[in-house]
Amino acid sequence: MLFLQLVLLVVLLPGGDSEDAFQEPISFQIILTISFYNHSWTQNLGSAWLDELQTHGWDNKTGALIFLWPWSRGNWNTEQLMKVEKLLYTYSIGFRQVFQDHVRHWQLEYPFQVQLAEGCKLHTGEASVGFVRIAYQGADLMSFQNMTWWPSPKGGSRAHHVCKLFNQYHVTNEEIHTLFTDSCPQFLLSLLDAGKEDIQRQERPEAWLSTGPSPGPGRLLLVCHVSGFHPKPVWVMWMREQPHSMGLVFLAVIVPLVLLAGLALWLWKRWKTHWRPQCTGFPLE
């Protein structure tokens, strides 16, 4: 007996209708990952995202933004963009240096990674929300809210030590607050307007099946792939007949055929009987 283990793989592509975008929260965020290999060797990787769509890259040597779409500048001019680039680059250098200077105090062990996610989120009828979050080795370390850094409950004593130091940078914290509560929402709105043709486009999903590694003897793994659709989300459902359903389908097809054949045979016999020549009584010579 063959058992089917059905597995669904949905590939969500970014985007969304700008008119409907505010029906669900939409966010713009900058993600910076710093890899610390030793006391003198670090590597930065930066990018910016509109929800799940990458809109910008980042040159880690010059701090310049890389515009991945024709509309990635929004409606901002060169001066505004350069100002933001300079701020972000300055923050990245200072951010990296602070962690390098406190490796022993914060009990950091090489190699390690620190992730910084900063941006803003919009929703219909609500005020925009700016956010800045820092993670260490992929786990939440602390977040920035209302001009204050707050330790993550899972960050332990390290999170408290880092927050204590970061809360002393009053001027920097004011700049961060202004950048992500005022400037970021304005830039997000300009992106939605400038990129509405790409954001509002609609593409039908394409689906196909493939077989995966067998989960066991007598079992078949089917994988459903769905891609090419826009905007998100998309609803995909498996439809499977029950084990006895094939018998029902067989009966549903065969029984009507048998009845039709029986009816045809009865009509044929009736027609034959009706048209059979009838003998009449003629006198014989």
Side-chain angles (χ1 to χ4, degrees):
M1 185 176 182
L2 180 65
F3 295 90
L4 298 181
Q5 179 179 346
L6 304 182
V7 177
L8 176 64
L9 173 63
V10 178
V11 183
L12 292 179
L13 299 184
D17 190 309
S18 63
E19 294 181 358
D20 296 333
F22 299 103
Q23 302 303 317
E24 296 295 336
I26 185 168
S27 63
F28 176 77
Q29 65 175 335
I30 299 170
I31 299 176
L32 175 64
T33 301
I34 305 179
S35 299
F36 297 81
Y37 298 104
N38 54 47
H39 69 280
S40 61
W41 181 25
T42 63
Q43 188 175 32
N44 298 349
L45 180 63
S47 59
W49 301 75
L50 179 63
D51 271 356
E52 297 171 353
L53 176 63
Q54 185 177 359
T55 55
H56 302 78
W58 191 62
D59 188 328
N60 57 15
K61 294 182 179 180
T62 64
L65 294 173
I66 301 172
F67 303 99
L68 302 181
W69 296 84
W71 44 266
S72 292
R73 297 175 179 269
N75 56 18
W76 280 27
N77 57 41
T78 303
E79 183 180 354
Q80 290 175 302
L81 291 171
M82 289 184 64
K83 181 179 179 181
V84 172
E85 286 179 345
K86 183 178 180 180
L87 281 174
L88 294 176
Y89 187 56
T90 302
Y91 292 158
S92 68
I93 294 176
F95 185 78
R96 179 183 59 195
Q97 191 61 49
V98 167
F99 274 84
Q100 285 283 46
D101 293 343
H102 293 80
V103 168
R104 291 185 179 180
H105 183 216
W106 294 340
Q107 299 181 351
L108 308 175
E109 297 182 3
Y110 294 110
F112 64 90
Q113 278 191 341
V114 177
Q115 298 86 25
L116 175 64
E118 49 194 1
C120 55
K121 182 178 295 186
L122 295 178
H123 197 287
T124 304
E126 298 181 8
S128 61
V129 178
F131 59 86
V132 182
R133 296 188 294 268
I134 296 177
Y136 170 75
Q137 297 290 66
D140 289 340
L141 184 67
M142 60 186 193
S143 61
F144 184 74
Q145 297 177 1
N146 299 325
M147 299 287 295
T148 303
W149 290 96
W150 299 91
S152 168
K154 298 181 180 180
S157 60
R158 178 186 292 117
H160 287 274
H161 290 314
V162 179
C163 284
K164 183 178 179 180
L165 178 62
F166 274 52
N167 281 326
Q168 297 176 12
Y169 303 142
H170 302 293
V171 175
T172 300
N173 289 338
E174 289 180 3
E175 292 176 341
I176 292 175
H177 177 75
T178 300
L179 182 61
F180 294 105
T181 58
D182 296 337
S183 302
C184 181
Q186 296 174 16
F187 185 65
L188 172 53
L189 289 173
S190 73
L191 282 180
L192 293 174
D193 182 60
K196 59 186 176 183
E197 291 186 4
D198 286 316
I199 297 172
Q200 290 179 356
R201 79 180 193 276
Q202 296 188 3
E203 301 289 343
R204 290 182 176 274
E206 296 181 0
W208 70 96
L209 293 177
S210 66
T211 57
S214 174
R219 292 178 177 269
L220 176 65
L221 180 67
L222 291 181
V223 182
C224 175
H225 306 263
V226 183
S227 65
F229 55 88
H230 190 94
K232 68 178 182 76
V234 67
W235 182 263
V236 181
M237 179 188 299
W238 282 104
M239 297 186 67
R240 177 181 178 183
E241 298 173 334
Q242 297 300 322
H244 60 274
S245 60
M246 289 302 297
L248 295 178
V249 171
F250 177 80
L251 291 176
V253 173
I254 295 301
V255 170
L257 291 177
V258 172
L259 292 177
L260 287 174
L263 178 61
L265 180 62
W266 178 80
L267 290 174
W268 180 78
K269 288 183 176 180
R270 183 178 177 86
W271 176 84
K272 184 177 180 182
T273 302
H274 178 74
W275 291 99
R276 180 179 299 169
Q278 301 293 328
C279 295
T280 55
F282 291 100
L284 296 177
E285 294 183 357

